Amino acid sequence: MEIIGIVKKLFNVQKFDSGFQKREIVITTEEPYPQNVLIEFIQDKVDLLENIKPKDKIKIFINIRGREWTNSEGIVKYFNSIQGWKIEDPTGTSNRTSSKNRSSSLSSDDFDDLPF
């Protein structure tokens, strides 16, 4: 899947003791009813945001993730997240890739380190 929009906000990189890291971005879609969408980049994909600035128009390739969690009272809750894995110029004229220029695949181990 992909989403195109204007960068509204870039958050700082969050690093956790487990070695897990993530960085979030908010983009505003350009449609009759614009939406502010929070997208997270995890692990080495954080590097994809290095050259992104507010007001840039970008295309982000995304995966939607869902997670089940049971609280201390035994109540099951569900969480969704949108994870980015690739960024392009929406005109298709140039690609933005990780400065480390390495490919990665996400395994279930990557999600076991999530802080919630």
Side-chain angles (χ1 to χ4, degrees):
M1 299 174 74
E2 60 192 52
I3 187 167
I4 297 172
I6 305 294
V7 176
K8 180 174 184 168
K9 184 164 180 70
L10 279 163
F11 294 91
N12 293 327
V13 176
Q14 297 174 47
K15 295 184 179 185
F16 300 90
D17 292 339
S18 64
F20 181 84
Q21 67 175 355
K22 75 175 183 174
R23 187 171 185 193
E24 297 172 321
I25 183 174
V26 175
I27 66 168
T28 303
T29 60
E30 295 180 307
E31 54 192 355
Y33 299 101
Q35 302 294 307
N36 293 312
V37 180
L38 177 74
I39 302 169
E40 64 183 16
F41 289 77
I42 64 171
Q43 302 300 72
D44 65 321
K45 300 301 181 189
V46 165
D47 297 336
L48 296 174
L49 296 174
E50 280 183 3
N51 298 315
I52 303 298
K53 303 177 300 302
K55 300 185 180 177
D56 282 352
K57 183 173 182 175
I58 57 176
K59 179 193 297 187
I60 302 177
F61 292 82
I62 61 169
N63 291 323
I64 297 175
R65 301 286 182 200
R67 186 170 184 87
E68 181 179 281
W69 176 72
T70 305
N71 70 13
S72 59
E73 297 162 354
I75 298 171
V76 177
K77 297 192 177 216
Y78 296 91
F79 297 91
N80 298 317
S81 62
I82 301 171
Q83 291 182 347
W85 56 273
K86 181 180 176 182
I87 297 175
E88 285 184 357
D89 181 313
T91 63
T93 57
S94 67
N95 290 342
R96 295 186 169 119
T97 59
S98 170
S99 63
K100 293 180 183 176
N101 200 21
R102 60 182 174 170
S103 63
S104 74
S105 60
L106 299 176
S107 70
S108 61
D109 293 339
D110 293 322
F111 302 102
D112 290 341
D113 290 341
L114 292 177
F116 55 85

